[in-house]
Amino acid sequence: MHMRFLSTLLASVLGTLLAFGVVLLFLFFFFFAFALSADPEPPVSPGSVLTLDVSGPVPERVARDPFAEAFFDQPRYDLRDVKQALRKAAADTRIEAVLIRAHGVTAPWATLQEIRRELDTFKESGKPLIASSGEYYSSERDYYLNSAADSVFAAPEGFFEFNGFATELA
């Protein structure tokens, strides 16, 4: 009878510790997600340059899911964010220029056209628009965005792919 009591007691204690551990793990992930979702606006000093780092896909809308941003390869910005940042940079007197870093862009051409239009609108503010290509490789999509800039800087031995447009029938 004492053995049954001790085994029941041990099972209860282990179950309680396990439940407590699960609750702590849940709280950790909750606070981690909360910390990721709080995007404080970065301080902008006079004479700042906005760096627009465009790579991979640029979706029209991104779900603001901190778990997906932290654990999966989901973009942290969308087309709306890019356009809004460029509009704010054009109006903000503390921003002196925009630096575009386009590398490995896989966004559709329609999305790139919208970004390009917004870059042209930014140039109307009179502020410089500077572009930097990737260190080793620049694709047509990368160059399309970079070509909106006043100056494009590329690595001396960097490879540039320019095949032009094509259509394929499936």
Side-chain angles (χ1 to χ4, degrees):
M1 185 154 191
H2 291 308
M3 289 303 274
R4 181 175 242 172
F5 172 76
L6 289 177
S7 65
T8 304
L9 179 65
L10 181 62
S12 297
V13 168
L14 286 177
T16 303
L17 289 176
L18 184 63
F20 185 68
V22 168
V23 168
L24 282 178
L25 187 65
F26 175 75
L27 287 174
F28 171 76
F29 279 121
F30 175 76
F31 286 116
F32 182 71
F34 183 73
L36 283 178
S37 66
D39 281 338
E41 192 167 308
V44 179
S45 303
S48 294
V49 174
L50 173 68
T51 301
L52 185 63
D53 194 3
V54 184
S55 62
V58 181
E60 287 198 31
R61 290 221 176 243
V62 126
R64 303 293 181 201
D65 182 6
F67 285 117
E69 289 177 7
F71 298 113
F72 302 109
D73 193 23
Q74 178 181 337
R76 295 185 65 111
Y77 59 90
D78 55 23
L79 178 60
R80 183 183 46 148
D81 294 332
V82 172
K83 291 168 73 171
Q84 185 178 32
L86 287 168
R87 287 179 189 148
K88 284 183 177 180
D92 194 337
T93 58
R94 300 171 294 177
I95 303 286
E96 287 192 7
V98 168
L99 170 64
I100 309 166
R101 288 187 186 161
H103 54 281
V105 178
T106 59
W109 285 103
T111 301
L112 296 178
Q113 281 182 317
E114 286 196 50
I115 295 173
R116 172 74 188 244
R117 266 189 241 121
E118 204 62 48
L119 290 169
D120 289 338
T121 302
F122 172 81
K123 284 173 58 173
E124 292 173 5
S125 70
K127 297 178 182 181
L129 184 61
I130 305 160
S132 171
S133 68
E135 290 184 32
Y136 306 109
Y137 174 76
S138 187
S139 70
E140 291 97 344
R141 286 176 162 86
D142 300 342
Y143 185 72
Y144 179 68
L145 289 181
N146 288 340
S147 66
D150 302 317
S151 302
V152 179
F153 296 94
E157 296 181 16
F159 178 70
F160 175 70
E161 177 185 1
F162 191 74
N163 299 328
F165 294 102
T167 60
E168 295 180 15
L169 297 174

